[in-house]
Short mmCIF file of all heavy atoms in Angstrom, two decimals:
data_model
loop_
_atom_site.label_atom_id
_atom_site.label_comp_id
_atom_site.label_asym_id
_atom_site.label_seq_id
_atom_site.Cartn_x
_atom_site.Cartn_y
_atom_site.Cartn_z
N ASP A 1 -27.12 136.33 199.63
CA ASP A 1 -26.85 136.95 200.88
C ASP A 1 -26.89 138.47 200.69
O ASP A 1 -26.26 139.04 199.78
CB ASP A 1 -25.40 136.54 201.35
CG ASP A 1 -25.38 135.08 201.81
OD1 ASP A 1 -26.47 134.53 202.11
OD2 ASP A 1 -24.25 134.57 201.88
N GLY A 2 -27.58 139.17 201.56
CA GLY A 2 -27.77 140.54 201.54
C GLY A 2 -28.75 141.01 200.47
O GLY A 2 -28.69 142.16 200.10
N CYS A 3 -29.66 140.12 200.10
CA CYS A 3 -30.62 140.42 199.05
C CYS A 3 -31.48 141.68 199.41
O CYS A 3 -32.16 141.62 200.44
CB CYS A 3 -31.54 139.22 198.86
SG CYS A 3 -32.88 139.54 197.68
N PRO A 4 -31.39 142.81 198.73
CA PRO A 4 -32.10 143.92 199.11
C PRO A 4 -33.62 143.86 199.00
O PRO A 4 -34.36 144.51 199.77
CB PRO A 4 -31.53 145.04 198.16
CG PRO A 4 -31.12 144.28 196.93
CD PRO A 4 -30.59 142.96 197.47
N ILE A 5 -34.12 143.04 198.13
CA ILE A 5 -35.58 142.85 197.99
C ILE A 5 -36.10 142.12 199.20
O ILE A 5 -37.15 142.38 199.72
CB ILE A 5 -35.95 142.08 196.73
CG1 ILE A 5 -35.57 142.94 195.47
CG2 ILE A 5 -37.44 141.71 196.65
CD1 ILE A 5 -36.38 144.24 195.36
N HIS A 6 -35.35 141.14 199.67
CA HIS A 6 -35.71 140.43 200.90
C HIS A 6 -35.69 141.35 202.11
O HIS A 6 -36.62 141.34 202.98
CB HIS A 6 -34.81 139.24 201.12
CG HIS A 6 -35.12 138.46 202.38
ND1 HIS A 6 -34.50 138.62 203.57
CD2 HIS A 6 -36.11 137.48 202.57
CE1 HIS A 6 -35.05 137.77 204.44
NE2 HIS A 6 -36.04 137.10 203.88
N ALA A 7 -34.68 142.23 202.18
CA ALA A 7 -34.61 143.21 203.28
C ALA A 7 -35.76 144.13 203.23
O ALA A 7 -36.35 144.47 204.29
CB ALA A 7 -33.25 143.95 203.18
N PHE A 8 -36.17 144.57 202.05
CA PHE A 8 -37.27 145.42 201.86
C PHE A 8 -38.59 144.72 202.36
O PHE A 8 -39.42 145.29 203.06
CB PHE A 8 -37.44 145.87 200.44
CG PHE A 8 -38.75 146.51 200.08
CD1 PHE A 8 -38.99 147.76 200.45
CD2 PHE A 8 -39.74 145.82 199.39
CE1 PHE A 8 -40.22 148.41 200.18
CE2 PHE A 8 -40.92 146.43 199.05
CZ PHE A 8 -41.20 147.73 199.48
N ARG A 9 -38.71 143.43 201.95
CA ARG A 9 -39.92 142.64 202.33
C ARG A 9 -40.06 142.61 203.81
O ARG A 9 -41.12 142.84 204.39
CB ARG A 9 -39.81 141.25 201.72
CG ARG A 9 -40.95 140.36 202.08
CD ARG A 9 -40.66 138.95 201.57
NE ARG A 9 -41.83 138.06 201.62
CZ ARG A 9 -42.17 137.32 202.70
NH1 ARG A 9 -41.34 137.41 203.83
NH2 ARG A 9 -43.18 136.53 202.73
N GLU A 10 -38.94 142.27 204.49
CA GLU A 10 -38.99 142.11 205.94
C GLU A 10 -39.35 143.46 206.64
O GLU A 10 -39.99 143.50 207.60
CB GLU A 10 -37.70 141.53 206.45
CG GLU A 10 -37.38 140.11 205.89
CD GLU A 10 -38.53 139.14 206.11
OE1 GLU A 10 -38.88 138.94 207.31
OE2 GLU A 10 -39.11 138.69 205.13
N LYS A 11 -38.75 144.54 206.09
CA LYS A 11 -39.02 145.86 206.69
C LYS A 11 -40.51 146.24 206.48
O LYS A 11 -41.06 146.78 207.45
CB LYS A 11 -38.09 146.87 205.98
CG LYS A 11 -38.21 148.27 206.59
CD LYS A 11 -37.67 148.41 207.95
CE LYS A 11 -37.58 149.80 208.45
NZ LYS A 11 -37.13 149.89 209.81
N VAL A 12 -41.04 145.96 205.38
CA VAL A 12 -42.45 146.34 205.13
C VAL A 12 -43.34 145.53 206.07
O VAL A 12 -44.31 146.06 206.65
CB VAL A 12 -42.81 146.03 203.63
CG1 VAL A 12 -44.32 146.09 203.53
CG2 VAL A 12 -42.12 147.01 202.74
N ILE A 13 -43.08 144.20 206.23
CA ILE A 13 -43.91 143.38 207.14
C ILE A 13 -43.84 143.95 208.58
O ILE A 13 -44.82 144.10 209.25
CB ILE A 13 -43.43 141.94 207.09
CG1 ILE A 13 -43.67 141.34 205.70
CG2 ILE A 13 -44.07 141.09 208.20
CD1 ILE A 13 -43.18 139.92 205.50
N LYS A 14 -42.61 144.28 208.94
CA LYS A 14 -42.38 144.79 210.38
C LYS A 14 -43.17 146.13 210.51
O LYS A 14 -43.83 146.32 211.58
CB LYS A 14 -40.89 144.99 210.64
CG LYS A 14 -40.61 145.51 212.00
CD LYS A 14 -39.11 145.62 212.25
CE LYS A 14 -38.85 146.21 213.65
NZ LYS A 14 -37.34 146.38 213.88
N ASN A 15 -43.02 147.00 209.52
CA ASN A 15 -43.67 148.30 209.62
C ASN A 15 -45.26 148.14 209.66
O ASN A 15 -45.92 148.85 210.37
CB ASN A 15 -43.28 149.16 208.45
CG ASN A 15 -41.90 149.73 208.65
OD1 ASN A 15 -41.25 149.55 209.67
ND2 ASN A 15 -41.35 150.39 207.59
N TYR A 16 -45.72 147.20 208.83
CA TYR A 16 -47.16 147.00 208.77
C TYR A 16 -47.73 146.47 210.10
O TYR A 16 -48.74 146.95 210.56
CB TYR A 16 -47.48 145.99 207.64
CG TYR A 16 -48.99 145.72 207.47
CD1 TYR A 16 -49.78 146.58 206.68
CD2 TYR A 16 -49.65 144.69 208.14
CE1 TYR A 16 -51.10 146.43 206.55
CE2 TYR A 16 -51.01 144.51 207.99
CZ TYR A 16 -51.71 145.37 207.23
OH TYR A 16 -53.07 145.17 207.11
N GLU A 17 -46.98 145.49 210.64
CA GLU A 17 -47.46 144.92 211.96
C GLU A 17 -47.41 145.98 213.09
O GLU A 17 -48.24 145.88 213.97
CB GLU A 17 -46.58 143.72 212.29
CG GLU A 17 -46.80 142.56 211.36
CD GLU A 17 -45.86 141.37 211.60
OE1 GLU A 17 -44.91 141.61 212.37
OE2 GLU A 17 -46.10 140.24 211.09
N SER A 18 -46.47 146.93 212.99
CA SER A 18 -46.36 147.88 214.08
C SER A 18 -47.22 149.09 213.85
O SER A 18 -47.34 149.97 214.72
CB SER A 18 -44.93 148.32 214.19
OG SER A 18 -44.49 149.00 213.03
N ALA A 19 -47.85 149.18 212.65
CA ALA A 19 -48.61 150.36 212.30
C ALA A 19 -50.07 150.05 212.04
O ALA A 19 -50.76 150.77 211.40
CB ALA A 19 -48.00 151.03 211.08
N ILE A 20 -50.59 148.91 212.54
CA ILE A 20 -51.98 148.56 212.39
C ILE A 20 -52.87 149.67 212.99
O ILE A 20 -52.72 150.05 214.13
CB ILE A 20 -52.34 147.22 213.09
CG1 ILE A 20 -51.62 146.09 212.45
CG2 ILE A 20 -53.81 147.03 213.07
CD1 ILE A 20 -52.05 145.83 210.98
N GLY A 21 -53.74 150.18 212.14
CA GLY A 21 -54.62 151.33 212.61
C GLY A 21 -53.93 152.63 212.52
O GLY A 21 -54.57 153.67 212.81
N GLY A 22 -52.70 152.69 212.19
CA GLY A 22 -51.94 153.92 212.08
C GLY A 22 -51.68 154.33 210.67
O GLY A 22 -52.18 153.73 209.74
N SER A 23 -50.88 155.32 210.50
CA SER A 23 -50.56 155.84 209.17
C SER A 23 -49.30 155.14 208.61
O SER A 23 -48.48 154.76 209.37
CB SER A 23 -50.41 157.38 209.16
OG SER A 23 -49.30 157.71 210.03
N ARG A 24 -49.23 155.07 207.32
CA ARG A 24 -48.02 154.53 206.70
C ARG A 24 -47.58 155.50 205.56
O ARG A 24 -48.40 156.05 204.88
CB ARG A 24 -48.35 153.17 206.03
CG ARG A 24 -48.87 152.13 207.09
CD ARG A 24 -49.18 150.78 206.38
NE ARG A 24 -49.76 149.93 207.41
CZ ARG A 24 -51.03 149.88 207.73
NH1 ARG A 24 -51.88 150.77 207.16
NH2 ARG A 24 -51.48 149.03 208.65
N ASN A 25 -46.28 155.68 205.50
CA ASN A 25 -45.70 156.64 204.61
C ASN A 25 -45.58 156.02 203.21
O ASN A 25 -44.63 155.27 202.96
CB ASN A 25 -44.42 157.15 205.09
CG ASN A 25 -43.83 158.34 204.30
OD1 ASN A 25 -44.03 158.40 203.11
ND2 ASN A 25 -43.27 159.26 204.98
N ARG A 26 -46.51 156.33 202.30
CA ARG A 26 -46.46 155.76 200.92
C ARG A 26 -45.15 156.17 200.15
O ARG A 26 -44.54 155.36 199.52
CB ARG A 26 -47.69 156.15 200.13
CG ARG A 26 -48.94 155.44 200.48
CD ARG A 26 -50.06 155.93 199.59
NE ARG A 26 -51.26 155.13 199.70
CZ ARG A 26 -52.35 155.31 198.95
NH1 ARG A 26 -52.32 156.32 198.05
NH2 ARG A 26 -53.40 154.53 199.04
N GLN A 27 -44.86 157.48 200.28
CA GLN A 27 -43.76 157.97 199.58
C GLN A 27 -42.44 157.30 199.94
O GLN A 27 -41.62 156.85 199.16
CB GLN A 27 -43.58 159.47 199.76
CG GLN A 27 -42.49 160.12 198.93
CD GLN A 27 -42.44 161.59 199.03
OE1 GLN A 27 -43.38 162.23 199.50
NE2 GLN A 27 -41.42 162.25 198.50
N SER A 28 -42.24 157.10 201.25
CA SER A 28 -41.08 156.37 201.74
C SER A 28 -41.08 154.95 201.25
O SER A 28 -39.95 154.47 200.88
CB SER A 28 -41.09 156.39 203.31
OG SER A 28 -39.99 155.68 203.84
N MET A 29 -42.17 154.30 201.27
CA MET A 29 -42.25 152.93 200.77
C MET A 29 -41.86 152.82 199.29
O MET A 29 -41.10 151.96 198.90
CB MET A 29 -43.62 152.33 200.95
CG MET A 29 -43.73 150.87 200.59
SD MET A 29 -45.43 150.27 200.43
CE MET A 29 -46.04 150.59 202.05
N ILE A 30 -42.32 153.75 198.51
CA ILE A 30 -42.02 153.72 197.04
C ILE A 30 -40.52 153.95 196.84
O ILE A 30 -39.93 153.26 196.09
CB ILE A 30 -42.86 154.77 196.33
CG1 ILE A 30 -44.33 154.38 196.32
CG2 ILE A 30 -42.43 154.94 194.91
CD1 ILE A 30 -45.32 155.48 195.91
#
């Protein structure tokens, strides 16, 4: 419960889907 890697995974998927064709912040992701 509260697994941070799972939270990171879901956030990345959401950001990717909302940023198709747009820019993504590599530094923030790292």
Side-chain angles (χ1 to χ4, degrees):
D1 289 342
C3 175
I5 295 298
H6 180 263
F8 169 73
R9 179 185 189 274
E10 298 307 301
K11 183 68 172 177
V12 168
I13 293 173
K14 181 179 178 180
N15 286 352
Y16 182 84
E17 291 175 347
S18 64
I20 294 295
S23 62
R24 302 178 184 84
N25 190 322
R26 284 182 169 184
Q27 183 173 352
S28 176
M29 184 193 301
I30 293 170

